[in-house]
Amino acid sequence: MFNFLKRLAFVGAGAIMAATLMAPDTSSARSLDEILSSGTLKVGVNPTLPPLGIYNEQNEIAGFDVDFSQQLADMLGVKLEVVQVGSPDRIPFVASGKIDIVMGAMTRNPERAKVIDFTLPVHTEVFGVLTTEEKGYTDWKELNSADVTLVQVRGSTPVKFIEENLPEANVLLLDNYPDVVRALAQGRGDALLDVIDFVGEHMNKHDVKWKIVETPVDIYYCAIGVAKNSTGLKDWLNVAIFELHRDGVVDDLWMKWFEREMIRDVEVSPWF
């Protein structure tokens, strides 16, 4: 399970902005026509964000982002070229044209939108509370009590968030997400505060009636990043994303890789 630090939009925003403000000129970014002529779509995927991106047994990059990108390539009638990116270089890579599009938990926010453009959302991520059905919590703020024990991954960003926003709660620190989910299933704590979508595979290993608290801390909308002024490419991607949502392809791929339904669906409408 990857570190929460690599996922949340509000984490490291200053560092990301500092890196992206010096991104090269977007004049080298390829247009939709150039992508079609080349016969290849170059997609940036971070393999350290499972199950969005992960190395498979053949040491190839796989995951939700790869499968989704393959759908786009098939719709374009071109081959897919997966390019490894990391959190620091993914925005400069797409801004400079080293890749055509970038995925990998690309949460839309105003700072990033100064440097690159975003499509419609591909998926959401819920920063919220995982607990069990017998708990009566309805809002994350109810956890600010000495009667509550939160089970968290040691060194992860939610720990600091809890210190600042839920100072009355007790915190049990464990080394990884499988141990944290197991502890909750065993009743050793009351709740986990994190991006809940990414612990589905661990939840499924325990015969427990899980509950996701109705009121989350936040909901992040993750889209595809493209170079500034890539209007033709972005417009095509928006149409493709709409069709993949409407046809249920996004939901099917999410279930395949996350082993649970998306907690908050992206609402699809004719004006989406």
Side-chain angles (χ1 to χ4, degrees):
M1 185 65 189
F2 55 87
N3 192 293
F4 185 89
L5 179 63
K6 296 177 181 177
R7 294 188 259 113
L8 285 182
F10 64 79
V11 176
I16 292 173
M17 192 59 193
T20 56
L21 281 175
M22 301 191 332
D25 182 18
T26 62
S27 58
S28 58
R30 300 196 300 172
S31 67
L32 176 60
D33 286 342
E34 289 171 328
I35 292 170
L36 292 170
S37 297
S38 74
T40 303
L41 176 67
K42 297 179 181 180
V43 181
V45 177
N46 188 340
T48 66
L49 303 179
L52 294 174
I54 190 172
Y55 282 109
N56 61 20
E57 294 178 354
Q58 291 74 42
N59 203 33
E60 300 169 334
I61 301 177
F64 173 89
D65 286 352
V66 175
D67 282 3
F68 185 85
S69 299
Q70 186 64 62
Q71 293 284 334
L72 297 176
D74 291 346
M75 294 170 77
L76 282 170
V78 300
K79 293 181 180 180
L80 175 66
E81 179 181 340
V82 177
V83 178
Q84 179 180 343
V85 298
S87 294
D89 58 21
R90 56 185 176 168
I91 292 178
F93 268 37
V94 74
S96 64
K98 289 184 178 180
I99 53 179
D100 301 313
I101 66 176
V102 64
M103 297 191 68
M106 284 299 300
T107 307
R108 303 183 306 178
N109 63 47
E111 291 303 309
R112 287 175 176 168
K114 294 176 183 177
V115 184
I116 62 172
D117 287 340
F118 288 94
T119 64
L120 298 170
V122 175
H123 63 84
T124 63
E125 295 175 5
V126 173
F127 177 31
V129 178
L130 174 67
T131 185
T132 52
E133 210 168 77
E134 66 266 18
K135 307 293 182 182
Y137 310 128
T138 60
D139 191 297
W140 67 271
K141 295 177 183 177
E142 296 170 6
L143 303 177
N144 191 30
S145 169
D147 296 328
V148 172
T149 296
L150 299 173
V151 190
Q152 303 292 148
V153 174
R154 194 185 317 277
S156 62
T157 300
V159 175
K160 183 178 180 182
F161 180 88
I162 291 165
E163 291 174 353
E164 295 175 349
N165 296 276
L166 303 169
E168 299 300 319
N170 298 297
V171 180
L172 171 62
L173 298 176
L174 300 176
D175 290 332
N176 54 61
Y177 286 93
D179 286 350
V180 164
V181 175
R182 185 181 304 110
L184 286 178
Q186 294 171 343
R188 295 167 53 199
D190 299 301
L192 162 69
L193 188 71
D194 208 303
V195 177
I196 306 303
D197 300 83
F198 293 87
V199 297
E201 62 176 307
H202 309 305
M203 294 163 63
N204 289 342
K205 294 175 182 177
H206 303 280
D207 186 18
V208 173
K209 292 184 178 179
W210 296 106
K211 174 184 176 181
I212 298 169
V213 172
E214 294 91 321
T215 304
V217 179
D218 207 344
I219 300 173
Y220 305 112
Y221 289 82
C222 299
I224 294 174
V226 299
K228 275 290 181 188
N229 303 315
S230 300
T231 306
L233 176 58
K234 185 175 71 172
D235 287 349
W236 182 87
L237 288 169
N238 283 338
V239 173
I241 291 169
F242 172 84
E243 292 297 329
L244 291 173
H245 273 293
R246 187 175 67 165
D247 293 344
V249 175
V250 175
D251 290 339
D252 290 344
L253 293 179
W254 194 265
M255 180 66 76
K256 172 185 174 180
W257 287 102
F258 287 79
E259 301 184 18
R260 280 181 173 259
E261 294 180 354
M262 199 179 301
I263 297 172
R264 292 292 180 93
D265 285 333
V266 176
E267 297 293 335
V268 181
S269 75
W271 301 275
F272 171 80

